[in-house]
Amino acid sequence: RPAPPCTFVVFGGGGDLTKRLLVPAIYNLACAGLLDDGFSIVAVDWAELSSDILRAQFHDALQEFVARRGTSATVLRDDIWQWLHTRVTYLRGSFEEAETYDWLAQRVGGGNAVFYLAVAARFFGPIVDNLGTSGLTEEADGAYRRVIVEKPFGHDLKSARELNTRLLGTLRERQIYRIDHYLGKETVQNIMALRFSNGFFEPLWNRQNIDHVQITAAETVGVEKRGRFYEGTGALRDMVPNHLMQLLAMTAMEAPVSFDADAVRDEKSKVLKAIHSLMPEDVVRGQYTAGALAGAPVRGYRDEPDVAPESRTETYVAMKLNIDNWRWAGVPFYLRTGKRLAVRKTEIAIHFRHAPYALFRDTPVERLTPNIMIMHIQPTEGVTMQFGAKIPGPTVRLGGVRMKFDYSEWFSEGPSTGYETLIYDCMTGDATLFQRADNIEAGWRAVQPVLDWCDRPEEAPLCSYAAGSAGPVEADALLARDGRHWLGLT
Ligand code: BG6
């Protein structure tokens, strides 16, 4: 069903995110018939543009997007483009001047509106204050007013709390949609479907049967043109309190009583709050040095543009977390994420315990094939189960085998940007896939001890790893100490 009519206002509408992701996602929604005729886009930005120029830019971006097969069509659908382009307006204006908001108030009138903050984080507070002062956040006669906030939501626990307080000074919690684009990924949403729509996973999903969990978000890209931003951020802030904590919460939370937004978010917060306070020996920070990827030489982080030659910013982080509750006590969750690693791969691997004793004379229990269930998030999307089987032949010999469910083989749905569901959900008022204030704060709380050590460099050593490798050897030692090892990054 199409979402109700709405003016979709994008602050930062001339920027990269809008062209690369938001407009393609809106195009896909239009193709799927999920937008009402009363839908329109207002892009607000500083740049010297006009509506016509912006439309032309959107057209180019969409053509590129379709060529990348971001949609089920192979060419840009003209009927959809005709429908969409007349609905795009550009407003050149400052995010901090009343004039911008007066214009918007006139344009939006009494209708529904989504305000998407695709801007640098320092503007989140001022924009919401201004929306409030101009009356744009008031919901009258059944119309809704919602604000989507991009990341980074805060810089640490204190600033995240302050930002929440500031936004909640103007908006009600139910009007705030804090985005984590990982929650828009089909395979991340599938974690809940897998766990809670099947009978055979959940009975095993606990400390009696699970030995440990590995969550990996490995990237091959470096910091690209984002050196300045990344220098003040680092891998920990960039990926852990948000994306990795969401993956952890989806994997470890209790079954919610319903799929109601608050029921799901209550469970996520509970499990994030149960993360045991981190100790320095459970964290490894690394930074890439020069190396090679796909046969081509790659420079080290300190040689990237806008990066200090003595930079101590981490581009890799690995950590061991313990969750203090009845389901997970004693089951470590190992997390790792980094740039310029050997492969691009995001996955969650559930390592089950061995069979209780070795029935097979020649195969000691520790040599049995580990039972692992891997939820592949990207680039491949699916689930693999690894287990032992008898190798055909007259003698009993065991070998490891894999059973694989591949999304692309089973479902013919066109690929997506990951923003379609999130935008549609916001327009229809479903906040399940967005982070509530307490979710965000719980993610920051979990990593805050590490941020505190980083302020005292002697307590937060920085290891190095060659670009194109699997990460610092110290990260291997983190698991080896527990008699475990990471799944290979190949
Ligand atoms: C973003 C980070 O939030 O997520 C980037 O700022 C990172 O540094 C990106 O590259 C990873 O997202 P994805 O969807 O490519 O895994």
Side-chain angles (χ1 to χ4, degrees):
R1 246 202 352 240
C6 151
T7 309
F8 194 82
V9 180
V10 189
F11 289 92
D16 224 36
L17 179 79
T18 312
K19 283 176 216 146
R20 275 191 316 109
L21 294 165
L22 302 185
V23 170
I26 287 168
Y27 168 85
N28 276 346
L29 287 174
C31 290
L34 293 174
L35 297 180
D36 186 274
D37 274 337
F39 175 86
S40 64
I41 304 178
V42 177
V44 187
D45 220 320
W46 299 92
E48 190 85 52
L49 294 173
S50 65
S51 296
D52 280 342
I53 297 176
L54 191 70
R55 286 176 195 143
Q57 291 183 354
F58 285 177
H59 186 261
D60 291 351
L62 278 176
Q63 249 166 347
E64 226 177 88
F65 168 72
V66 173
R68 284 202 314 266
R69 299 302 307 271
T71 165
S72 44
T74 50
V75 286
L76 184 61
R77 278 181 53 184
D78 194 51
D79 55 331
I80 301 292
W81 173 246
Q82 290 309 328
W83 184 90
L84 195 61
H85 93 277
T86 53
R87 290 178 162 74
V88 175
T89 310
Y90 182 66
L91 168 65
R92 178 161 188 250
S94 152
F95 305 145
E96 291 177 291
E97 276 168 24
E99 238 185 307
T100 306
Y101 299 86
D102 293 344
W103 188 96
L104 282 175
Q106 271 201 353
R107 168 64 197 255
V108 171
N112 297 326
V114 169
F115 301 100
Y116 197 117
L117 309 191
V119 293
R122 66 178 187 282
F123 292 116
F124 295 165
I127 291 176
V128 170
D129 291 350
N130 279 311
L131 288 172
T133 319
S134 59
L136 276 158
T137 53
E138 272 155 42
E139 299 183 316
D141 303 325
Y144 69 70
R145 298 298 164 88
R146 298 178 185 142
V147 177
I148 302 185
V149 189
E150 266 293 337
K151 73 180 272 266
F153 197 99
H155 194 66
D156 54 13
L157 177 58
K158 182 166 169 284
S159 55
R161 274 193 185 136
E162 285 165 2
L163 183 55
N164 273 328
T165 307
R166 183 158 177 189
L167 301 192
L168 287 164
T170 299
L171 299 159
R172 270 164 287 203
E173 177 59 44
R174 62 172 172 73
Q175 293 177 284
I176 309 176
Y177 288 69
R178 300 173 193 79
I179 230 167
D180 183 315
H181 80 277
Y182 264 53
L183 295 177
K185 294 182 193 289
E186 282 293 343
T187 34
V188 174
Q189 292 170 38
N190 187 46
I191 302 171
M192 276 207 283
L194 199 73
R195 290 187 57 197
F196 303 132
S197 75
N198 295 298
F200 54 45
F201 297 120
E202 208 49 23
L204 298 178
W205 215 259
N206 53 46
R207 62 190 302 276
Q208 277 77 37
N209 303 291
I210 293 179
D211 178 70
H212 73 282
V213 176
Q214 295 185 13
I215 302 182
T216 299
E219 297 185 275
T220 50
V221 290
V223 288
E224 316 283 278
K225 294 180 194 145
R226 298 162 76 217
R228 190 159 304 139
F229 160 80
Y230 204 81
E231 271 288 87
T233 305
L236 178 71
R237 286 189 168 91
D238 194 34
M239 295 292 289
V240 182
N242 33 61
H243 309 325
L244 264 54
M245 286 299 162
Q246 286 300 321
L247 296 182
L248 179 139
M250 289 283 210
T251 309
M253 71 188 203
E254 296 299 315
V257 287
S258 73
F259 274 129
D260 171 73
D262 277 328
V264 172
R265 298 186 302 175
D266 284 347
E267 295 307 334
K268 283 188 176 173
S269 273
K270 264 196 241 166
V271 76
L272 292 177
K273 282 180 192 154
I275 294 175
H276 191 88
S277 190
L278 273 161
M279 301 302 285
E281 62 270 23
D282 292 332
V283 180
V284 174
R285 297 165 64 243
Q287 188 186 71
Y288 63 83
T289 54
L293 260 160
V298 171
R299 64 182 158 213
Y301 176 69
R302 291 179 181 182
D303 295 323
E304 299 278 16
D306 300 321
V307 169
E310 311 264 282
S311 170
R312 293 193 51 81
T313 300
E314 80 285 346
T315 58
Y316 175 100
V317 64
M319 54 180 64
K320 172 183 173 182
L321 296 175
N322 288 300
I323 299 177
D324 288 340
N325 65 19
W326 276 59
R327 188 192 281 262
W328 296 115
V331 180
F333 281 65
Y334 300 100
L335 274 49
R336 62 177 161 169
T337 181
K339 299 225 180 259
R340 286 287 191 231
L341 292 172
V343 287
R344 171 168 183 248
K345 185 192 268 194
T346 303
E347 64 184 27
I348 301 166
I350 315 289
H351 292 243
F352 289 87
R353 288 187 191 283
H354 286 299
Y357 71 97
L359 181 61
F360 303 95
R361 274 158 302 179
D362 301 334
T363 314
V365 81
E366 62 279 4
R367 295 238 320 272
L368 291 174
T369 298
N371 290 168
I372 308 175
M373 172 173 159
I374 306 173
M375 296 184 272
H376 306 277
I377 311 289
Q378 62 190 18
T380 37
E381 304 188 314
V383 179
T384 301
M385 307 279 250
Q386 175 180 290
F387 51 94
K390 181 179 171 299
I391 299 172
T395 57
V396 178
R397 283 187 307 132
L398 299 179
V401 296
R402 289 188 150 202
M403 209 161 74
K404 187 157 187 188
F405 148 64
D406 191 323
Y407 252 75
S408 58
E409 269 173 25
W410 273 85
F411 301 109
S412 55
E413 287 289 297
S416 72
T417 62
Y419 275 75
E420 290 80 359
T421 315
L422 297 174
I423 293 174
Y424 180 77
D425 283 359
C426 175
M427 291 193 296
T428 52
D430 182 352
T432 312
L433 296 176
F434 293 85
Q435 305 184 82
R436 214 170 46 191
D438 57 330
N439 296 155
I440 292 258
E441 290 177 17
W444 279 115
R445 191 175 303 113
V447 301
Q448 188 58 47
V450 192
L451 299 176
D452 294 341
W453 304 322
C454 294
D455 290 342
R456 300 185 294 271
E458 64 290 356
E459 286 182 47
L462 187 66
C463 315
S464 62
Y465 63 102
S469 70
V473 289
E474 289 81 352
D476 296 337
L478 181 71
L479 270 70
R481 175 179 99 185
D482 298 340
R484 302 188 174 102
H485 57 84
W486 293 107
L487 281 186
L489 273 190
T490 47

